[in-house]
Amino acid sequence: MNARQRDENPAGIHLPLDPLPGHTSRGRLERVLRRGEFAVTTELNPPDSADPEDVYNRAKIFDGWVDAINAVDASGANCHMSSVGICALLTRMGYAPIMQIACRDKNRIAIQGDVLGGAAMGVANMLCLTGDGVQAGDQPGAKPVFDLDSMSLLETIRIMRDNGKFLSGRKLTTPPQVFLGAAVNPFAPPYDFRPIHLGKKIAAGAQFVQTQYCFDVPMFRTFMQSARDLGHTEKVFVLCGVGPLASAKTAKWIRSNVPGIHIPEAVIKRLEGAQDQKKEGKQLCIDIINEVKEIPGVAGVHVMAYRQEEYVAEIVDESGVLKGRQPWKREIRRDDQVVAERLDHILHDEITETQVDMVKIAH
């Protein structure tokens, strides 16, 4: 029996998996990581739309190549379809989303409500973020909240899950069963503090972390060495952030305008010297994956391919990180067709009784 079959509820693709000892969630990502398999996650670029097909069309290109999909929560302080909404759509179809929660826009009351709502929909993974300031987005006049930060948000959800209580102390009827994640940036100063900061997030409740883009493997290797020395890699799963660069011009713009992303000059020169810079950017990403996957303590990669999502499958395939394993893939099922035909029949069948008539008969 292959990994995909083990990680699907036979009673329905939208249903949670059976609980396992030592697991805090009933999701696939935690199972993959705890089995020691190299995990692959990615991000879904949220649409500026109310059409669910816009989400499904963006998700299906990841089928069979990733273990979980981040539902981004207004990154860069720009408004898109909500993370909760995207998760509702993805869980309905059997995907494994990672619900991002940014503290910028909601207070603790709203956030705790979203945690319960997400868990009820089948969201098994939640990523806790402080969030970019509103001045970074296209609506700088918005009022920021920041009632919590990423650290206190981790603690809040951990208390809800493990203690079965809201922050107020009021008891929950059913606690959320979730796998908690956080973001870390090994490439932002002060560099020596980054492994210590990771330890604080672990203490707050982080079970997995996704890093900022890695374009400097030696710097990341130094971070991982410190994390191992502190014993962090025995307590948390580290997924290294990677992604393709479209061109040297793009790389220079990101380096100058996006805080926290470090791109060495050698990377820009490599792109400038390539005949096809976009192709070279993809190959650079593959090369980085092949380097970081050999670093002790690295449990997977988080592939961020903004506006280049079609490259994710190629990058994962050509890097060979799955080693023949196929993550869950949505497949057309016979019952899908049965349901579709039944709905069509109901919608187009002639109505023989009006609602008023049916009410009269009932009385």
Side-chain angles (χ1 to χ4, degrees):
M1 184 177 290
N2 62 36
R4 181 183 63 81
Q5 291 171 323
R6 286 201 304 271
D7 294 340
E8 183 177 308
N9 190 324
I13 60 171
H14 62 289
L15 296 175
L17 301 168
D18 291 333
L20 289 178
H23 289 226
T24 61
S25 77
R26 299 170 69 182
R28 289 193 295 271
L29 178 60
E30 184 175 9
R31 289 193 174 197
V32 167
L33 288 167
R34 293 197 186 280
R35 285 199 298 258
E37 295 172 339
F38 198 85
V40 178
T41 60
T42 192
E43 291 188 351
L44 186 146
N45 180 28
D48 295 338
S49 164
D51 187 349
E53 286 303 316
D54 288 341
V55 172
Y56 293 137
N57 288 335
R58 295 178 187 208
K60 68 184 180 182
I61 62 175
F62 303 134
D63 278 8
W65 296 105
V66 303
D67 296 297
I69 302 172
N70 281 33
V72 176
D73 189 14
S75 64
N78 292 304
C79 185
H80 309 285
M81 184 185 290
S82 72
S83 175
V84 173
I86 291 170
C87 285
L89 295 169
L90 293 182
T91 53
R92 181 189 303 174
M93 302 296 280
Y95 291 103
I98 299 172
M99 189 171 91
Q100 290 191 1
I101 305 174
C103 298
R104 173 191 56 247
D105 306 314
K106 298 175 182 178
N107 65 17
R108 66 191 68 190
I109 297 172
I111 286 174
Q112 289 173 94
D114 281 351
V115 169
L116 293 183
M121 291 185 300
V123 175
N125 316 289
M126 296 187 179
L127 189 80
C128 301
L129 304 167
T130 298
D132 301 308
V134 294
Q135 69 277 5
D138 57 1
Q139 299 180 65
K143 180 177 287 188
V145 180
F146 294 114
D147 185 23
L148 303 174
D149 60 14
S150 61
M151 208 77 73
S152 54
L153 176 56
L154 281 166
E155 293 174 342
T156 296
I157 303 177
R158 178 173 55 80
I159 289 169
M160 294 174 70
R161 183 192 66 198
D162 297 348
N163 299 350
K165 295 180 180 179
F166 289 110
L167 282 182
S168 66
R170 185 157 51 91
K171 290 185 178 181
L172 293 167
T173 304
T174 303
Q177 295 177 296
V178 291
F179 190 46
L180 283 178
V184 295
N185 189 355
F187 314 103
Y191 306 114
D192 292 345
F193 177 69
R194 293 303 162 186
I196 298 171
H197 193 234
L198 171 59
K200 292 179 182 293
K201 292 198 172 185
I202 295 170
Q207 297 167 286
F208 74 95
V209 294
Q210 295 171 332
T211 80
Q212 181 57 277
Y213 283 103
C214 173
F215 295 109
D216 191 328
V217 178
M219 183 178 289
F220 180 64
R221 190 176 285 113
T222 299
F223 167 81
M224 288 302 299
Q225 179 64 59
S226 297
R228 290 195 304 273
D229 291 344
L230 292 169
H232 295 339
T233 55
E234 298 173 9
K235 303 172 185 176
V236 73
F237 298 100
V238 178
L239 281 70
C240 179
V242 296
L245 290 167
S247 65
K249 182 180 178 180
T250 300
K252 289 179 180 178
W253 186 91
I254 292 173
R255 187 171 66 174
S256 300
N257 295 279
V258 183
I261 297 183
H262 165 65
I263 302 178
E265 188 63 29
V267 167
I268 292 174
K269 288 183 178 179
R270 174 174 169 174
L271 293 172
E272 288 176 333
Q275 186 172 1
D276 185 335
Q277 293 192 10
K278 194 168 187 179
K279 184 178 179 181
E280 189 65 25
K282 186 188 79 169
Q283 186 58 50
L284 171 68
C285 180
I286 293 169
D287 292 344
I288 290 173
I289 290 174
N290 283 322
E291 285 192 70
V292 300
K293 72 182 182 182
E294 302 299 330
I295 299 174
V298 175
V301 288
H302 179 54
V303 186
M304 297 172 281
Y306 180 65
R307 294 185 178 177
Q308 298 187 79
E309 289 88 350
E310 70 278 4
Y311 277 164
V312 171
E314 294 179 26
I315 289 168
V316 175
D317 183 36
E318 293 175 29
S319 67
V321 289
L322 292 176
K323 298 180 179 179
R325 176 178 71 87
Q326 185 185 52
W328 182 87
K329 180 179 181 180
R330 170 147 178 83
E331 298 174 346
I332 301 300
R333 299 159 59 99
R334 184 180 180 279
D335 54 349
D336 291 341
Q337 186 62 31
V338 170
V339 170
E341 290 174 358
R342 179 60 181 154
L343 286 172
D344 185 67
H345 174 72
I346 292 171
L347 291 171
H348 294 90
D349 200 14
E350 290 187 12
I351 300 175
T352 58
E353 298 175 317
T354 66
Q355 289 181 331
V356 174
D357 292 333
M358 288 188 282
V359 170
K360 289 179 179 178
I361 293 171
H363 289 80

